Amino acid sequence: MNSKKLNQIKTYTPYDVGYFNTTDGQEIYFEQSGHPMGVPVLYLHGGPGAGLGNDYRELFSSFSNIRLIGIDQRGAGKSKPLGTLKNNTIHHLIADIEYLREYLHVSSWYIFGGSWGSTLALAYSVQFPQHIRGLNLWGIFYCQKKEIEWLFHTTAPLMYPDIFSDLNHGINHSSLKELLEIYYIYLHQENTEREFATRWLLWEAFTAEHPHPIYDEFDDWNATNEAIACAKIEHHYFSNTPLRINQEDDLESAVKKANFQFPIYITHGRNDLVTPAASAISLKNNTLNSKMNILDNCGHSLIHVGMRNSIHHFAKELLEKYN
């Protein structure tokens, strides 16, 4: 196709939406936007369980030559059934992604993802490196116990003990294990699931916006049904660490042994209280063809302009240099 004509198409309204059925009876939602003949880019949402939403497409608004593919992971967003934990494992999510690649006749693609999106991107890449052109990742997360301790026990709660105490009043949080056990009970009771999903997600949102968190949401936000599903799925994965890929003890070890040959771009906020910067440094040290930005005055959320700018800069370099 004429490149000039290709560059004239700048809309990222989905031109194709649909579902595919899994062998265990789930319906997985996907969408495509951008240009049908553009460079395939898979976007993996965070959470786990957060769903695609619409904002992710804004990251690509200045690129006119991308075939942007999004998928709502099991139990998330528009996938059905909402909030399901049945067969909701990293291996099932990897299989869903690979099925989608074949279904859409994509030989290889770039993958973009932050937080849990980086987790799933790395796990998929370990198993299917031959289908990866490159990764653009941020808020690196291996889904290890030490990272979850960072968020719920050892670090973030010590930075904001008043907020953590307010959101978890009446809960014994002397250990991560006890906190997760209590949340399991309340997240799975109909009369308490909304309240405790709200508590869970407000803490995550608050820490994600550090060092300039927003307090207003404490009084005016309650978890929607989609948010309740997200809290349950996050709790499910955080309670079942580590992720064992390719018979390795955890994802970090699997990545180290994978010997990736494709380029990897890494963005992480120095003030990230959701995922420690040590995870990003580990990824950089364990991959040969990688580049990293550790950003001052940025946390975990894309509300931080520096995060978006770095992701966009790396996207431009990745797509222009390696395509």
Side-chain angles (χ1 to χ4, degrees):
M1 176 173 285
N2 183 284
S3 60
K4 183 177 181 180
K5 185 176 182 180
L6 185 72
N7 290 333
Q8 290 173 347
I9 302 175
K10 295 186 177 181
T11 178
Y12 275 88
T13 301
Y15 64 81
D16 175 39
V17 299
Y19 288 86
F20 64 84
N21 296 319
T22 66
T23 57
D24 58 347
Q26 301 198 32
E27 298 177 56
I28 307 299
Y29 173 82
F30 69 90
E31 61 185 32
Q32 299 189 81
S33 55
H35 198 292
M37 300 299 291
V39 179
V41 174
L42 174 68
Y43 178 87
L44 296 176
H45 67 70
L52 284 170
N54 297 314
D55 293 344
Y56 80 97
R57 295 196 293 269
E58 295 178 6
L59 287 173
F60 303 90
S61 60
S62 63
F63 296 95
S64 56
N65 62 337
I66 290 177
R67 177 188 177 188
L68 180 59
I69 302 165
I71 180 174
D72 275 332
Q73 298 156 31
R74 291 184 174 223
K78 297 177 182 177
S79 289
K80 305 172 186 178
L82 179 65
T84 184
L85 303 181
K86 177 185 177 182
N87 292 338
N88 202 330
T89 71
I90 191 70
H91 299 286
H92 286 91
L93 299 186
I94 291 170
D96 292 341
I97 293 170
E98 180 60 5
Y99 180 90
L100 180 62
R101 184 194 64 79
E102 294 176 347
Y103 183 77
L104 296 178
H105 305 288
V106 174
S107 59
S108 62
W109 47 15
Y110 296 97
I111 301 184
F112 286 42
S115 194
W116 171 260
S118 75
T119 315
L120 184 53
L122 290 169
Y124 174 83
S125 298
V126 167
Q127 292 207 339
F128 296 101
Q130 69 273 25
H131 300 313
I132 308 299
R133 298 192 192 187
L135 302 178
N136 189 3
L137 309 176
W138 56 96
I140 305 304
F141 180 52
Y142 287 115
C143 199
Q144 294 174 316
K145 183 181 178 181
K146 63 184 178 182
E147 294 170 312
I148 298 162
E149 289 268 8
W150 168 277
L151 175 59
F152 288 107
H153 188 59
T154 61
T155 303
L158 299 183
M159 293 284 291
Y160 292 103
D162 52 337
I163 304 300
F164 190 76
S165 179
D166 286 346
L167 287 174
N168 294 286
H169 61 83
I171 297 177
N172 181 0
H173 47 78
S174 58
S175 72
L176 175 65
K177 182 176 183 292
E178 289 176 330
L179 183 74
L180 292 175
E181 287 175 349
I182 292 171
Y183 263 97
Y184 178 84
I185 294 170
Y186 289 121
L187 284 173
H188 293 276
Q189 291 181 358
E190 187 174 352
N191 62 328
T192 56
E193 63 178 6
R194 193 172 307 277
E195 175 191 349
F196 280 81
T198 300
R199 294 188 189 195
W200 178 279
L201 293 172
L202 280 179
W203 173 245
E204 185 176 284
F206 182 86
T207 51
E209 292 170 0
H210 174 78
H212 303 294
I214 298 172
Y215 292 85
D216 297 346
E217 291 183 349
F218 279 85
D219 298 319
D220 60 15
W221 186 81
N222 283 294
T224 62
N225 290 339
E226 290 78 12
I228 293 171
C230 178
K232 289 180 178 179
I233 294 171
E234 284 190 358
H235 181 278
H236 167 67
Y237 276 94
F238 294 175
S239 299
N240 289 281
T241 58
L243 303 177
R244 292 184 169 88
I245 307 293
N246 281 7
Q247 300 182 330
E248 292 299 322
D249 289 339
D250 58 28
L251 179 58
E252 185 176 16
S253 299
V255 167
K256 186 175 182 178
K257 281 197 173 181
N259 192 27
F260 293 146
Q261 299 300 305
F262 45 78
I264 302 175
Y265 287 78
I266 304 161
T267 299
H268 208 99
R270 189 176 301 281
N271 295 316
D272 192 335
L273 282 184
V274 178
T275 56
S279 296
I281 294 169
S282 168
L283 179 59
K284 175 68 175 66
N285 290 340
N286 289 330
T287 50
L288 296 174
N289 192 12
S290 59
K291 184 180 289 189
M292 179 176 66
N293 274 345
I294 299 289
L295 303 174
D296 292 334
N297 301 316
C298 286
H300 189 76
S301 170
L302 293 185
I303 194 173
H304 302 290
V305 175
M307 291 287 289
R308 297 198 303 273
N309 288 345
S310 176
I311 294 164
H312 185 272
H313 171 77
F314 279 159
K316 190 171 185 291
E317 184 170 331
L318 182 65
L319 296 171
E320 289 183 354
K321 184 176 180 180
Y322 292 96
N323 188 44

